[in-house]
Amino acid sequence: MLRATMAVLVLLGLSAAPAGAQQPPTASQVTRGAYLVTSIAACGNCHTPKGPNGADLPGQHLAGGLEIAAPNLFTARVPNITQDRATGIGAWTDAQIALAIREGRRPDGSLIGPPMPFEVYRGISDADLAAMVAYLRTVPAVANRVTKSEFHIPLPPSYGPPVRGVAGPANTPEARGAYLAGPLGHCTECHTPMGANGQRDWTRTGAGGAPIGGPRGPVVPRNITPHPEAGIGGWSDGQIIRAITQGISADGRRLFPPMGYGYYARISPADLRDMVAWLRSLPPQP
Ligand code: HEC
Ligand code: HEC
């Protein structure tokens, strides 16, 4: 009888483990999580230390240490999110890691600050969040203690009410593309301007964002709406995909970081097609 019950539970994709216990991840969850973290979500763009040429340091995948400073606002030091128990997140439970990614809350209850893009990460689906956690569990431990960030602005008490039950996108190219470019890839976060109230003006999604400081001076996230002159309305699908995955603009100019071209080069052709469909569906912004 017990064996029959177990078989039914397995068939349903459920487990007989007591509530709260960690579920062993499935191979397909790890594969999906690896794909998300190392391509569209580009977590390593912030969380993996870089060499002088801007490439990921070998053997340091997600080991943290990068400093991201915004004058008068913060000096963020990107933490180690490898499985090292002492200096990474190896001692955290799956639920604690999930809460940190989607709601910006650490196990000790403190809030994680910018520039990790929590406004959009709140929309990551339950399935994709579980896949990311499953993959992070497989990341080799690297011992690297990172100093705490300093914030000169008060952080809010939270990024919003508790998030529960986020379904994946509707099954259309535009909806899938919007999910990839928003909750998973935070393209929208960089490429959308701030409104008068200091919040992002989502009525102008893709119109171009606030300048981002860099070693060679500030770079401005471009207008990526289908406006024929101000945006990318005149570009071919191939030109759009080349800009995203190779960092080459339609006129042949090499694009600057911090957009994570090297990570986006791993986005699947189907996902790239969906993102192009979404970009073409945006209202053109002058
Ligand atoms: C734009 C840069 C950026 C991106 C992209 C980013 N993070 Fe972060 N992340 C940070 C910073 C900065 C902090 C720490 C902020 C602070 O000190 O309060 C952080 C904190 C964390 C923490 C908490 C670790 C701790 O010890 O407190 C986890 C877990 C985490 N990130 C996972 C991820 C994952 C997974 C992704 C991809 C889905 C991701 N991050 C994408 C910048 C980023
Ligand atoms: C961390 C911020 C950031 C993120 C995230 C980001 N971008 Fe960008 N993007 C930029 C910046 C800055 C530029 C301009 C670089 C330059 O001018 O050298 C740019 C350039 C572009 C261009 C080329 C525009 C032109 O006129 O040449 C396209 C297309 C684009 N981004 C689309 C995307 C898409 C799609 C995503 C998500 C998969 C994305 N971006 C994610 C910051 C970002």
Side-chain angles (χ1 to χ4, degrees):
M1 178 59 204
L2 180 64
R3 183 170 296 168
T5 311
M6 293 288 288
V8 169
L9 288 171
V10 168
L11 272 176
L12 291 172
L14 299 171
S15 141
Q22 302 208 19
Q23 318 270 316
T26 64
S28 67
Q29 275 182 314
V30 175
T31 307
R32 170 80 179 157
Y35 169 69
L36 294 173
V37 167
T38 62
S39 69
I40 179 68
C43 310
N45 202 25
C46 291
H47 281 278
T48 301
K50 311 279 181 262
N53 61 356
D56 287 2
L57 283 179
Q60 298 285 310
H61 181 51
L62 301 178
L66 190 79
E67 196 173 280
I68 307 175
N72 304 323
L73 298 177
F74 56 77
T75 301
R77 299 192 185 88
V78 185
N80 178 347
I81 58 167
T82 71
Q83 283 298 295
D84 191 58
R85 292 183 71 86
T87 65
I89 58 171
W92 298 16
T93 66
D94 288 358
Q96 287 171 334
I97 299 175
L99 191 71
I101 298 172
R102 193 158 68 178
E103 302 186 46
R105 182 112 19 228
R106 291 190 194 85
D108 68 4
S110 61
L111 205 68
I112 302 169
M116 191 158 147
F118 296 108
E119 188 177 358
V120 295
Y121 280 180
R122 290 173 64 80
I124 298 175
S125 76
D126 295 349
D128 283 342
L129 186 64
M132 285 183 185
V133 173
Y135 166 66
L136 289 174
R137 285 275 176 236
T138 70
V139 171
V142 178
N144 181 30
R145 191 170 298 281
V146 178
T147 323
K148 266 181 171 282
S149 305
E150 288 155 46
F151 294 97
H152 312 301
I153 37 157
L155 296 181
S158 77
Y159 294 108
V163 181
R164 278 194 202 91
V166 181
N171 201 12
T172 65
E174 292 79 9
R176 291 192 305 259
Y179 175 67
L180 286 158
L184 291 180
H186 72 285
C187 322
T188 51
E189 211 239 3
C190 280
H191 284 277
T192 301
M194 291 295 191
N197 57 359
Q199 304 284 318
R200 256 184 202 79
D201 180 0
W202 296 119
T203 65
R204 301 183 60 212
T205 296
I212 306 172
R216 305 170 204 80
V219 280
V220 182
R222 301 299 160 127
N223 183 335
I224 54 170
T225 71
H227 191 279
E229 290 96 41
I232 58 174
W235 296 23
S236 69
D237 290 2
Q239 285 173 319
I240 298 175
I241 289 173
R242 187 178 67 161
I244 298 171
T245 60
Q246 297 179 44
I248 301 173
S249 189
D251 61 7
R253 187 173 69 87
R254 187 154 286 285
L255 296 163
F256 286 118
M259 188 168 144
Y261 314 103
Y263 298 92
Y264 297 156
R266 302 191 191 102
I267 301 175
S268 73
D271 282 352
L272 285 168
R273 278 195 300 275
D274 288 344
M275 276 202 289
V276 169
W278 168 77
L279 283 166
R280 295 219 185 275
S281 76
L282 289 174
Q285 302 283 347

